[in-house]
Amino acid sequence: MDSIVVGFSRPKAWFEPFSWLIRIAEGNPIKWCPYSHAYIRYYNSYADRWEIFQASGMKVNLIGSTMFDAAENIYAEFEVPITAATKQLVVQGAVDKVGSPYGVGQIFGFGWVMFMRLFGKSVKNPFYSASSFVCSELTADILNEINGTTLDSSTMSPKDVCEYMLAKGYKTTTQG
């Protein structure tokens, strides 16, 4: 059995207003959410390295674990057992999305989704796009592929994905 890792982090840099907004929206003004980013970590046996698949910096990208760990504070990582064949499909799908644009419009749509949650309403992201992505959407899409679930990735925030991982009982490999 193989595995991938679903992780949650925040930047190490102090001045990160975009992260601040996500953390405030996901938490509250007194106790911010401890993370603002979701990602997939997997081992590339050919390169003998851990790689991170994420949406950040205006693009969907892959980054080596060493560089990622130097820039991010890891909050939690969850190991997801998968077969080698499924891992290959997940990695191939990730590579096919590398270079896609970051979903800037979708971020504004998340504002609407989260605002409506304050009133107990569940709404779709009005700015969803199938050709651009945000971090939690990529992560939820991969979980759908692995588990055969139908998570609405267009409305899932990093906190939603983390709560899903906890609810499903995935093994936590890191918690900070």
Side-chain angles (χ1 to χ4, degrees), residues 26-91:
E26 295 278 77
N28 61 55
I30 296 178
K31 184 165 173 38
W32 292 11
C33 183
Y35 51 89
S36 58
H37 185 56
Y39 58 89
I40 299 293
R41 183 187 302 260
Y42 64 89
Y43 188 73
N44 179 334
S45 58
Y46 183 75
D48 193 23
R49 298 285 186 273
W50 284 91
E51 296 177 340
I52 309 309
F53 174 59
Q54 63 180 352
S56 71
M58 304 311 291
K59 294 269 185 201
V60 173
N61 60 76
L62 289 169
I63 184 172
S65 186
T66 302
M67 289 185 78
F68 182 84
D69 292 347
E72 295 286 314
N73 284 316
I74 308 300
Y75 170 72
E77 292 188 325
F78 298 87
E79 185 175 357
V80 179
I82 57 175
T83 65
T86 300
K87 181 178 177 181
Q88 182 179 21
L89 290 173
V90 165
V91 172

Side-chain angles (χ1 to χ4, degrees), residues 10 19-28 32-36:
R10 72 173 184 273
S19 174
W20 295 348
L21 288 172
I22 294 168
R23 293 175 58 210
I24 288 170
E26 295 278 77
N28 61 55
W32 292 11
C33 183
Y35 51 89
S36 58

Side-chain angles (χ1 to χ4, degrees), residues 26 35 117 155-165:
E26 295 278 77
Y35 51 89
R117 285 182 185 176
T155 62
M156 291 193 77
S157 68
K159 185 176 181 182
D160 294 331
V161 178
C162 189
E163 288 176 352
Y164 172 83
M165 300 303 289

